[in-house]
Amino acid sequence: MVNHTQTTKTISLEQYGIKNAKVKYQLTPDQLHETTIEKGQGVESSLGALAVNTGEFTGRSPQDRFIVKDEITKDRVWWGNINIPFEPEAFDKLYDKVTDYLSEKEVFVRDSYACADENYKLNIRVINEYPWSNMFAYNMFLRPTDEELQDFMPEWTVVNAPGFMADAAVDGTRQHNFAILNFTKKIALVGGTGYTGEIKKGIFSALNFVLPVFKNTLPMHCSANVGEDGDTAIFFGLSGTGKTTLSTDAERSLIGDDEHGWTNENTVFNFEGGCYAKVINLSRDQEPEIYDAIKKGAILENVIMDDKGEVDFTDTTITQNTRVSYPIYHIDNIKVPSIGKNPKNIFFLTADAFGVLPPISKLTPSQAAYHFISGYTAKVAGTEAGVVEPVPSFSACFGAPFMPLHPTEYASMLSQKMKEAGVNVWLVNTGWTGGPYGVGTRMKLKYTRAMINAVLNGELGLYNYDDYHIHSVFGVAQPRSCPGVPKEVLSPRTTWNNDEYYYKTAFKLANAFRENFKKFEEHASEEIRRGGPQRYSF
């Protein structure tokens, strides 16, 4: 049931150190939409959605993400440049500064929860400086009923103050913005940035520690959907690889588009109550479900509109990371509740801008573990000075910025679950074909959809030498044919028409994989190490 009515319950924030605040508790999306416009913090687009500008930050700031190093975390977290330690005393002082900053102000508070499976439910209280940030929390977290709110006890608290600027020299931060997790106090403290993704990723990062350490459940940076026969498909991938696009399918029910848990009972549940989709180059023809979800109740971020409020989704003047958040019920075909059973296929999505990986290939268990730990995609540089070479980008578990434990811990859990459930694992290149970025072209979405549908319909056959070709550099099995896809597209080498250049580029990428994997080798088994590229270049 969707709860659009405002609760009559009132709360005080004194216990958080926020004094004499004017608390706006559990406002409806419509109220938050109107308040944002009244305050001049947003405008309504022609599609009905609220449009806001998040300010200086239009994306996450990974170098400014910290975890408090305390008794709970000191021996379990994989400390380094992803999980940066923060002293408990410094946290307390900074927290007091933020709550003092919010005191006397109008503050927007929302009680919500994460994890659609009742057995893993995490109650969250979100305290926001801005109304549109609170509306984002409504869209992205799960929404309690009035009855659930009556005796609601928050376990975690998100304190979000975009207007507060830290003093790095005094506060122990790198610069004025910060996102800090405190597992002892169960607080996510976010300041100095208006980018809303920091709110949801704070809770995702917390669950990525809590679920494996205390609940024996694998957290995953993935999307998921379920077919009519109850078979669940899981899509891992970094930003821009097609996670949201490919899981939002009119023929299958959406479980969720970004964050899930895989339980001991072999079920997959969504952490969230909404979707946070990229909208760069969005069109109704290509992605009708996402386009139609952009209506009253959705929030567009950092898009360019004309004076009639019409959005130009191709305009990247502010950022390439233009976004929309919307509650999951804006999608017609969803699974209620957001839980799937019986995972049958896992897809690792990569946007390979080198254009050497096959558009789809089947992985062995050791290859699956290797590619999961690697988490490869490619960044495409700007083109102002002509064509610039793509840069390999590796993010362990397809979500390193959100993973507090060592990547091999998640990989071991995934390997075990894959074997127990008997799932097939596929590597899908949604990137370039016919050459690297600047020479080739982006893989057509209709071909990628056709390949995924062929897998889900059981049309790619069993793994054998008649139906599959073993890639001579990466050792993965690429199908020789696929319904709805020209045969030549399935072989990246064939699309290049230049074998020497193709292999030279393939070896270059293979070497990048090997170089990246060196930091995991001492923790990885021989079986996992054998899952990497097969041939070396000299």
Side-chain angles (χ1 to χ4, degrees), residues 8-42:
T8 55
K9 180 179 169 182
T10 58
I11 62 164
S12 166
L13 299 181
E14 298 283 331
Q15 78 225 55
Y16 301 103
I18 301 171
K19 298 180 174 64
N20 302 319
K22 187 179 179 185
V23 179
K24 299 289 188 176
Y25 177 67
Q26 221 71 6
L27 295 193
T28 66
D30 284 354
Q31 288 172 316
L32 292 164
H33 179 112
E34 295 305 325
T35 302
T36 301
I37 293 169
E38 285 166 13
K39 289 180 178 294
Q41 295 177 5

Tab-separated table of all heavy atoms in Angstrom, residues 8-42:
chain	number	residue	atom	x	y	z
A	8	THR	N	-0.195	12.254	11.606
A	8	THR	CA	-0.455	13.271	12.645
A	8	THR	C	0.590	13.212	13.751
A	8	THR	O	0.601	14.053	14.645
A	8	THR	CB	-1.851	13.054	13.251
A	8	THR	OG1	-1.931	11.703	13.725
A	8	THR	CG2	-2.938	13.304	12.210
A	9	LYS	N	1.466	12.209	13.691
A	9	LYS	CA	2.492	12.050	14.717
A	9	LYS	C	3.493	13.221	14.667
A	9	LYS	O	3.816	13.725	13.588
A	9	LYS	CB	3.213	10.713	14.481
A	9	LYS	CG	4.331	10.391	15.471
A	9	LYS	CD	4.926	9.013	15.122
A	9	LYS	CE	6.205	8.766	15.890
A	9	LYS	NZ	6.813	7.464	15.543
A	10	THR	N	3.973	13.646	15.825
A	10	THR	CA	5.015	14.676	15.867
A	10	THR	C	6.221	14.130	16.627
A	10	THR	O	6.087	13.232	17.457
A	10	THR	CB	4.517	15.956	16.575
A	10	THR	OG1	4.096	15.608	17.894
A	10	THR	CG2	3.370	16.589	15.810
A	11	ILE	N	7.396	14.677	16.347
A	11	ILE	CA	8.610	14.205	17.027
A	11	ILE	C	9.491	15.389	17.403
A	11	ILE	O	9.361	16.477	16.846
A	11	ILE	CB	9.423	13.219	16.154
A	11	ILE	CG1	9.897	13.894	14.867
A	11	ILE	CG2	8.650	11.951	15.852
A	11	ILE	CD1	10.990	13.141	14.173
A	12	SER	N	10.375	15.150	18.343
A	12	SER	CA	11.386	16.135	18.737
A	12	SER	C	12.749	15.619	18.314
A	12	SER	O	12.978	14.406	18.244
A	12	SER	CB	11.366	16.322	20.257
A	12	SER	OG	12.534	17.010	20.676
A	13	LEU	N	13.660	16.537	18.018
A	13	LEU	CA	15.021	16.155	17.627
A	13	LEU	C	16.041	16.479	18.714
A	13	LEU	O	17.244	16.408	18.482
A	13	LEU	CB	15.413	16.872	16.320
A	13	LEU	CG	14.547	16.563	15.097
A	13	LEU	CD1	15.065	17.327	13.882
A	13	LEU	CD2	14.498	15.069	14.799
A	14	GLU	N	15.549	16.820	19.913
A	14	GLU	CA	16.447	17.182	21.015
A	14	GLU	C	17.437	16.059	21.310
A	14	GLU	O	18.603	16.307	21.618
A	14	GLU	CB	15.637	17.509	22.283
A	14	GLU	CG	14.700	18.699	22.136
A	14	GLU	CD	15.403	20.048	22.206
A	14	GLU	OE1	16.452	20.132	22.877
A	14	GLU	OE2	14.902	21.005	21.590
A	15	GLN	N	16.973	14.792	21.208
A	15	GLN	CA	17.847	13.659	21.534
A	15	GLN	C	19.036	13.565	20.583
A	15	GLN	O	20.043	12.924	20.882
A	15	GLN	CB	17.054	12.346	21.510
A	15	GLN	CG	16.771	11.787	20.120
A	15	GLN	CD	15.331	11.326	19.965
A	15	GLN	OE1	14.391	12.074	20.188
A	15	GLN	NE2	15.171	10.071	19.598
A	16	TYR	N	18.928	14.208	19.401
A	16	TYR	CA	20.025	14.199	18.435
A	16	TYR	C	20.921	15.414	18.593
A	16	TYR	O	21.882	15.584	17.838
A	16	TYR	CB	19.465	14.153	17.003
A	16	TYR	CG	18.605	12.936	16.740
A	16	TYR	CD1	17.221	13.034	16.720
A	16	TYR	CD2	19.178	11.675	16.529
A	16	TYR	CE1	16.423	11.917	16.494
A	16	TYR	CE2	18.393	10.561	16.302
A	16	TYR	CZ	17.018	10.685	16.290
A	16	TYR	OH	16.232	9.582	16.076
A	17	GLY	N	20.591	16.280	19.547
A	17	GLY	CA	21.365	17.500	19.726
A	17	GLY	C	20.913	18.629	18.831
A	17	GLY	O	21.582	19.663	18.734
A	18	ILE	N	19.785	18.434	18.136
A	18	ILE	CA	19.227	19.483	17.272
A	18	ILE	C	18.157	20.206	18.085
A	18	ILE	O	17.101	19.637	18.378
A	18	ILE	CB	18.656	18.884	15.971
A	18	ILE	CG1	19.756	18.138	15.200
A	18	ILE	CG2	18.033	19.967	15.104
A	18	ILE	CD1	19.272	17.337	14.014
A	19	LYS	N	18.434	21.450	18.452
A	19	LYS	CA	17.579	22.160	19.408
A	19	LYS	C	16.703	23.209	18.717
A	19	LYS	O	17.156	23.901	17.805
A	19	LYS	CB	18.446	22.831	20.483
A	19	LYS	CG	19.268	21.823	21.306
A	19	LYS	CD	20.117	22.521	22.360
A	19	LYS	CE	20.820	21.519	23.255
A	19	LYS	NZ	21.788	20.685	22.533
A	20	ASN	N	15.466	23.282	19.214
A	20	ASN	CA	14.515	24.316	18.775
A	20	ASN	C	14.322	24.345	17.263
A	20	ASN	O	14.096	25.404	16.665
A	20	ASN	CB	14.963	25.708	19.252
A	20	ASN	CG	15.104	25.767	20.764
A	20	ASN	OD1	14.271	25.214	21.486
A	20	ASN	ND2	16.160	26.422	21.242
A	21	ALA	N	14.410	23.178	16.640
A	21	ALA	CA	14.189	23.114	15.198
A	21	ALA	C	12.690	23.116	14.906
A	21	ALA	O	11.879	22.654	15.705
A	21	ALA	CB	14.832	21.854	14.627
A	22	LYS	N	12.357	23.658	13.753
A	22	LYS	CA	10.969	23.585	13.283
A	22	LYS	C	10.866	22.294	12.473
A	22	LYS	O	11.279	22.238	11.311
A	22	LYS	CB	10.647	24.810	12.430
A	22	LYS	CG	9.177	24.910	12.046
A	22	LYS	CD	8.926	26.167	11.216
A	22	LYS	CE	7.459	26.238	10.821
A	22	LYS	NZ	7.210	27.399	9.907
A	23	VAL	N	10.362	21.241	13.105
A	23	VAL	CA	10.407	19.899	12.510
A	23	VAL	C	9.212	19.666	11.589
A	23	VAL	O	8.056	19.765	12.002
A	23	VAL	CB	10.438	18.810	13.609
A	23	VAL	CG1	10.448	17.424	12.975
A	23	VAL	CG2	11.654	19.006	14.512
A	24	LYS	N	9.505	19.376	10.337
A	24	LYS	CA	8.483	18.979	9.369
A	24	LYS	C	8.598	17.465	9.208
A	24	LYS	O	9.501	16.963	8.529
A	24	LYS	CB	8.728	19.677	8.032
A	24	LYS	CG	8.663	21.202	8.107
A	24	LYS	CD	7.240	21.679	8.326
A	24	LYS	CE	7.142	23.186	8.215
A	24	LYS	NZ	5.759	23.663	8.338
A	25	TYR	N	7.698	16.743	9.866
A	25	TYR	CA	7.817	15.290	9.956
A	25	TYR	C	6.906	14.582	8.958
A	25	TYR	O	5.707	14.855	8.893
A	25	TYR	CB	7.474	14.838	11.380
A	25	TYR	CG	7.489	13.329	11.584
A	25	TYR	CD1	8.676	12.604	11.514
A	25	TYR	CD2	6.307	12.629	11.845
A	25	TYR	CE1	8.696	11.235	11.696
A	25	TYR	CE2	6.310	11.250	12.038
A	25	TYR	CZ	7.512	10.559	11.959
A	25	TYR	OH	7.523	9.194	12.139
A	26	GLN	N	7.492	13.702	8.183
A	26	GLN	CA	6.748	12.783	7.317
A	26	GLN	C	5.818	13.521	6.352
A	26	GLN	O	4.676	13.116	6.120
A	26	GLN	CB	5.952	11.791	8.194
A	26	GLN	CG	5.960	10.348	7.702
A	26	GLN	CD	7.301	9.651	7.861
A	26	GLN	OE1	8.236	10.190	8.441
A	26	GLN	NE2	7.406	8.436	7.350
A	27	LEU	N	6.318	14.623	5.766
A	27	LEU	CA	5.516	15.327	4.768
A	27	LEU	C	5.296	14.428	3.555
A	27	LEU	O	6.112	13.562	3.240
A	27	LEU	CB	6.205	16.616	4.319
A	27	LEU	CG	6.405	17.731	5.356
A	27	LEU	CD1	6.809	19.027	4.655
A	27	LEU	CD2	5.175	17.964	6.216
A	28	THR	N	4.200	14.653	2.861
A	28	THR	CA	3.903	13.864	1.661
A	28	THR	C	4.803	14.334	0.517
A	28	THR	O	5.338	15.460	0.552
A	28	THR	CB	2.442	14.027	1.238
A	28	THR	OG1	2.251	15.390	0.818
A	28	THR	CG2	1.487	13.678	2.363
A	29	PRO	N	4.947	13.524	-0.529
A	29	PRO	CA	5.737	13.970	-1.688
A	29	PRO	C	5.191	15.269	-2.289
A	29	PRO	O	5.974	16.140	-2.680
A	29	PRO	CB	5.605	12.809	-2.676
A	29	PRO	CG	5.236	11.623	-1.856
A	29	PRO	CD	4.483	12.130	-0.682
A	30	ASP	N	3.869	15.402	-2.362
A	30	ASP	CA	3.282	16.628	-2.913
A	30	ASP	C	3.670	17.844	-2.082
A	30	ASP	O	3.990	18.915	-2.616
A	30	ASP	CB	1.750	16.519	-2.974
A	30	ASP	CG	1.278	15.638	-4.133
A	30	ASP	OD1	2.136	15.218	-4.941
A	30	ASP	OD2	0.065	15.381	-4.216
A	31	GLN	N	3.635	17.699	-0.752
A	31	GLN	CA	4.003	18.810	0.124
A	31	GLN	C	5.474	19.187	-0.054
A	31	GLN	O	5.830	20.370	-0.094
A	31	GLN	CB	3.733	18.445	1.590
A	31	GLN	CG	2.251	18.398	1.943
A	31	GLN	CD	2.028	17.847	3.349
A	31	GLN	OE1	2.651	16.848	3.740
A	31	GLN	NE2	1.145	18.479	4.104
A	32	LEU	N	6.324	18.188	-0.175
A	32	LEU	CA	7.761	18.447	-0.350
A	32	LEU	C	8.038	19.060	-1.723
A	32	LEU	O	8.895	19.938	-1.859
A	32	LEU	CB	8.548	17.152	-0.154
A	32	LEU	CG	8.520	16.615	1.285
A	32	LEU	CD1	8.975	15.155	1.329
A	32	LEU	CD2	9.395	17.474	2.210
A	33	HIS	N	7.323	18.611	-2.725
A	33	HIS	CA	7.412	19.157	-4.082
A	33	HIS	C	7.075	20.653	-4.048
A	33	HIS	O	7.847	21.488	-4.548
A	33	HIS	CB	6.423	18.376	-4.966
A	33	HIS	CG	6.348	18.814	-6.393
A	33	HIS	ND1	6.797	18.030	-7.435
A	33	HIS	CD2	5.844	19.928	-6.975
A	33	HIS	CE1	6.582	18.659	-8.583
A	33	HIS	NE2	5.992	19.816	-8.325
A	34	GLU	N	5.935	20.978	-3.432
A	34	GLU	CA	5.488	22.381	-3.368
A	34	GLU	C	6.428	23.228	-2.516
A	34	GLU	O	6.752	24.366	-2.874
A	34	GLU	CB	4.058	22.458	-2.809
A	34	GLU	CG	2.997	21.806	-3.697
A	34	GLU	CD	2.982	22.338	-5.124
A	34	GLU	OE1	3.237	23.551	-5.315
A	34	GLU	OE2	2.735	21.542	-6.048
A	35	THR	N	6.882	22.678	-1.391
A	35	THR	CA	7.781	23.437	-0.507
A	35	THR	C	9.083	23.764	-1.224
A	35	THR	O	9.625	24.875	-1.095
A	35	THR	CB	8.067	22.628	0.780
A	35	THR	OG1	6.830	22.332	1.428
A	35	THR	CG2	8.955	23.395	1.736
A	36	THR	N	9.606	22.822	-1.964
A	36	THR	CA	10.852	23.044	-2.722
A	36	THR	C	10.686	24.194	-3.704
A	36	THR	O	11.563	25.064	-3.822
A	36	THR	CB	11.269	21.758	-3.466
A	36	THR	OG1	11.460	20.702	-2.519
A	36	THR	CG2	12.546	21.958	-4.267
A	37	ILE	N	9.566	24.212	-4.410
A	37	ILE	CA	9.306	25.274	-5.387
A	37	ILE	C	9.128	26.617	-4.679
A	37	ILE	O	9.688	27.636	-5.097
A	37	ILE	CB	8.074	24.916	-6.254
A	37	ILE	CG1	8.397	23.695	-7.135
A	37	ILE	CG2	7.643	26.100	-7.107
A	37	ILE	CD1	7.213	23.088	-7.844
A	38	GLU	N	8.371	26.602	-3.576
A	38	GLU	CA	8.143	27.841	-2.807
A	38	GLU	C	9.459	28.443	-2.315
A	38	GLU	O	9.618	29.665	-2.262
A	38	GLU	CB	7.228	27.564	-1.602
A	38	GLU	CG	5.763	27.379	-1.963
A	38	GLU	CD	4.956	26.769	-0.819
A	38	GLU	OE1	5.470	26.719	0.327
A	38	GLU	OE2	3.826	26.319	-1.064
A	39	LYS	N	10.395	27.585	-1.943
A	39	LYS	CA	11.683	28.060	-1.429
A	39	LYS	C	12.652	28.442	-2.552
A	39	LYS	O	13.793	28.842	-2.287
A	39	LYS	CB	12.327	26.971	-0.549
A	39	LYS	CG	11.624	26.765	0.791
A	39	LYS	CD	12.315	25.672	1.599
A	39	LYS	CE	11.659	25.482	2.950
A	39	LYS	NZ	11.808	26.663	3.838
A	40	GLY	N	12.222	28.276	-3.797
A	40	GLY	CA	13.098	28.599	-4.922
A	40	GLY	C	14.223	27.609	-5.110
A	40	GLY	O	15.248	27.912	-5.733
A	41	GLN	N	14.046	26.389	-4.577
A	41	GLN	CA	15.097	25.371	-4.668
A	41	GLN	C	14.867	24.381	-5.815
A	41	GLN	O	15.668	23.471	-6.026
A	41	GLN	CB	15.204	24.611	-3.346
A	41	GLN	CG	15.659	25.479	-2.191
A	41	GLN	CD	15.704	24.732	-0.867
A	41	GLN	OE1	15.490	23.526	-0.803
A	41	GLN	NE2	15.985	25.463	0.215
A	42	GLY	N	13.777	24.562	-6.536
A	42	GLY	CA	13.473	23.667	-7.644
A	42	GLY	C	12.331	24.221	-8.467
A	42	GLY	O	11.657	25.177	-8.060
